Amino acid sequence: MGAIEGYGTQREAVEALLGAAGPSAMVLSFREDRAFAALSLNCFGSFGSTRLDWSVAEVLERTSGFDAAELCRLVGEYGEGGGLGVVFPGNLCVPSVAVDLALVGAYADALLDCPECWVFLVEQAVLIEFQDGEGFVVARVPVPG
């Protein structure tokens, strides 16, 4: 099964997020996922399949905290002004979700159920990464040059 066929086949993995965020959340199609990835995740190099290379980016903050309150703080601080957030799970079988940043508090616990995930703050061009048990990394998305 290729990436397109496998994309989003585990929708149940984001049901808690969708239930918590309600109508403000939208499951992205494969094409939409790849378009947002081109503006964010794909601007970084990687180590292995899910480790981003932060050496090409302006790292704004690294935290050891790994809970919903810390995620809410980071999104509130770096997503000031609100806007759209795109949540990329670490597995293409789990679909990406677009959400209103103002509602992160309602779904932060559900997000942290993913073992690895990235939240792209679209208007701010900031990416927040969390790897299970390792805390958060917040960085500006590098401008391709």
Side-chain angles (χ1 to χ4, degrees), residues 68-91:
E70 184 68 355
L71 178 58
C72 289
R73 181 190 72 78
L74 293 171
V75 170
E77 183 173 333
Y78 296 101
E80 192 171 5
L84 182 67
V86 176
V87 178
F88 297 100
N91 181 340

Side-chain angles (χ1 to χ4, degrees), residues 6-22:
Y7 175 79
T9 56
Q10 296 177 10
R11 183 182 168 114
E12 66 278 0
V14 294
E15 288 300 328
L17 168 61
L18 296 173

Side-chain angles (χ1 to χ4, degrees), residues 21-37:
S24 70
M26 180 180 89
V27 174
L28 299 181
S29 69
F30 180 78
R31 184 174 286 169
E32 291 165 331
D33 170 89
R34 295 295 81 202
F36 280 112

